[in-house]
Amino acid sequence: EVQLVESGGGLVQPGGSLRLSCAASGFAFSSYTMSWVRQAPGKGLEWVSTISTRGGSTNYADSAKGRFTISRDNAKNTLFLQMNSLKPEDTAVYYCAKGPTKGQGTQVTVSS
Protein backbone atom coordinates (compact mmCIF):
# COMPACT_ATOMS: atom_id res chain seq x y z
CA GLU A 1 0.00 0.00 0.00
CA VAL A 2 1.32 3.42 -0.98
CA GLN A 3 1.85 5.68 2.03
CA LEU A 4 2.93 9.30 1.91
CA VAL A 5 3.35 11.11 5.23
CA GLU A 6 4.07 14.84 5.16
CA SER A 7 5.55 16.82 8.01
CA GLY A 8 7.27 20.12 8.72
CA GLY A 9 4.40 22.54 8.34
CA GLY A 10 3.55 25.23 10.84
CA LEU A 11 3.01 28.90 11.45
CA VAL A 12 5.67 31.23 10.10
CA GLN A 13 5.96 34.97 9.62
CA PRO A 14 6.13 36.49 6.15
CA GLY A 15 9.68 36.22 4.86
CA GLY A 16 10.35 33.12 6.91
CA SER A 17 11.30 29.61 5.86
CA LEU A 18 10.03 26.09 6.32
CA ARG A 19 11.27 22.70 5.16
CA LEU A 20 8.62 20.14 4.41
CA SER A 21 9.34 16.42 4.36
CA CYS A 22 7.42 13.49 2.93
CA ALA A 23 8.19 9.95 4.04
CA ALA A 24 7.22 7.46 1.35
CA SER A 25 6.63 3.74 1.67
CA GLY A 26 4.86 0.89 -0.07
CA PHE A 27 6.40 1.45 -3.49
CA ALA A 28 9.78 1.79 -5.22
CA PHE A 29 10.27 5.47 -4.38
CA SER A 30 13.39 5.92 -6.49
CA SER A 31 11.51 4.81 -9.61
CA TYR A 32 8.88 7.54 -9.52
CA THR A 33 8.70 11.21 -10.31
CA MET A 34 7.34 12.98 -7.25
CA SER A 35 5.54 16.26 -6.77
CA TRP A 36 4.33 18.75 -4.23
CA VAL A 37 0.86 20.23 -4.58
CA ARG A 38 -1.07 22.57 -2.32
CA GLN A 39 -4.59 23.65 -1.56
CA ALA A 40 -5.30 27.07 -0.16
CA PRO A 41 -8.46 27.73 1.85
CA GLY A 42 -11.48 27.79 -0.44
CA LYS A 43 -9.42 27.04 -3.56
CA GLY A 44 -8.63 24.05 -5.72
CA LEU A 45 -5.52 21.95 -5.80
CA GLU A 46 -2.46 23.76 -7.18
CA TRP A 47 0.66 22.08 -8.50
CA VAL A 48 3.83 23.46 -6.89
CA SER A 49 6.82 21.44 -8.05
CA THR A 50 7.97 18.13 -9.55
CA ILE A 51 11.26 16.26 -9.35
CA SER A 52 12.55 13.46 -11.56
CA THR A 53 13.49 10.04 -10.26
CA ARG A 54 17.12 10.85 -9.56
CA GLY A 55 16.58 14.53 -8.84
CA GLY A 56 18.35 15.74 -11.95
CA SER A 57 15.31 17.56 -13.29
CA THR A 58 13.00 19.86 -11.37
CA ASN A 59 10.09 22.06 -12.35
CA TYR A 60 8.27 24.77 -10.46
CA ALA A 61 5.07 26.74 -10.70
CA ASP A 62 5.68 30.42 -11.34
CA SER A 63 4.52 31.12 -7.80
CA ALA A 64 7.32 28.93 -6.42
CA LYS A 65 10.22 29.76 -8.71
CA GLY A 66 13.19 31.33 -6.98
CA ARG A 67 11.76 30.70 -3.51
CA PHE A 68 11.10 26.96 -3.22
CA THR A 69 13.48 24.06 -3.79
CA ILE A 70 12.35 20.48 -4.24
CA SER A 71 14.75 17.64 -3.50
CA ARG A 72 14.76 13.97 -2.63
CA ASP A 73 16.81 11.38 -0.79
CA ASN A 74 16.19 8.07 -2.50
CA ALA A 75 18.23 6.19 0.11
CA LYS A 76 15.76 7.36 2.76
CA ASN A 77 12.62 7.34 0.59
CA THR A 78 12.02 10.98 1.46
CA LEU A 79 10.91 14.00 -0.54
CA PHE A 80 11.60 17.56 0.59
CA LEU A 81 10.39 21.06 -0.15
CA GLN A 82 12.50 23.94 1.12
CA MET A 83 10.39 27.08 1.18
CA ASN A 84 12.02 30.47 1.63
CA SER A 85 10.71 34.04 1.53
CA LEU A 86 7.27 32.79 2.42
CA LYS A 87 4.26 34.99 1.68
CA PRO A 88 0.74 35.00 3.12
CA GLU A 89 -0.52 33.65 -0.20
CA ASP A 90 1.58 30.51 0.39
CA THR A 91 -0.82 29.57 3.18
CA ALA A 92 -2.22 26.17 2.25
CA VAL A 93 -2.22 22.49 3.01
CA TYR A 94 0.78 21.00 1.26
CA TYR A 95 0.72 17.46 -0.08
CA CYS A 96 3.36 15.28 -1.61
CA ALA A 97 2.06 13.29 -4.53
CA LYS A 98 2.88 10.20 -6.52
CA GLY A 99 0.72 10.73 -9.54
CA PRO A 100 -2.83 11.15 -8.26
CA THR A 101 -2.03 9.70 -4.84
CA LYS A 102 -1.46 12.20 -2.05
CA GLY A 103 -0.68 12.05 1.61
CA GLN A 104 -2.74 13.60 4.39
CA GLY A 105 -1.00 16.93 3.99
CA THR A 106 0.73 19.38 6.30
CA GLN A 107 -0.63 22.84 7.07
CA VAL A 108 1.50 25.86 6.28
CA THR A 109 0.29 29.20 7.59
CA VAL A 110 2.14 32.39 6.76
CA SER A 111 0.98 35.23 8.93
CA SER A 112 2.29 37.99 11.15
Side-chain angles (χ1 to χ4, degrees):
E1 177 188 3
V2 173
Q3 287 199 327
L4 300 168
V5 181
E6 301 93 338
S7 61
L11 173 63
V12 63
Q13 293 187 340
S17 298
L18 282 174
R19 189 191 195 206
L20 307 183
S21 299
C22 171
S25 62
F27 66 102
F29 179 75
S30 61
S31 297
Y32 288 86
T33 294
M34 296 293 296
S35 297
W36 286 97
V37 297
R38 68 185 183 184
Q39 187 164 23
K43 296 189 177 181
L45 211 57
E46 177 190 16
W47 169 73
V48 175
S49 182
T50 296
I51 188 168
S52 61
T53 55
R54 296 184 180 184
S57 178
T58 57
N59 289 286
Y60 298 91
D62 287 344
S63 58
K65 281 179 185 175
R67 300 187 300 125
F68 294 3
T69 303
I70 190 171
S71 62
R72 65 192 297 163
D73 184 339
N74 285 344
K76 296 183 177 179
N77 290 350
T78 305
L79 180 71
F80 302 101
L81 185 68
Q82 176 67 43
M83 304 188 296
N84 299 328
S85 303
L86 283 161
K87 306 174 181 180
E89 51 263 43
D90 294 318
T91 295
V93 178
Y94 284 71
Y95 303 89
C96 69
K98 169 186 174 289
T101 303
K102 304 188 304 294
Q104 85 290 345
T106 186
Q107 176 71 48
V108 171
T109 302
V110 185
S111 175
S112 55

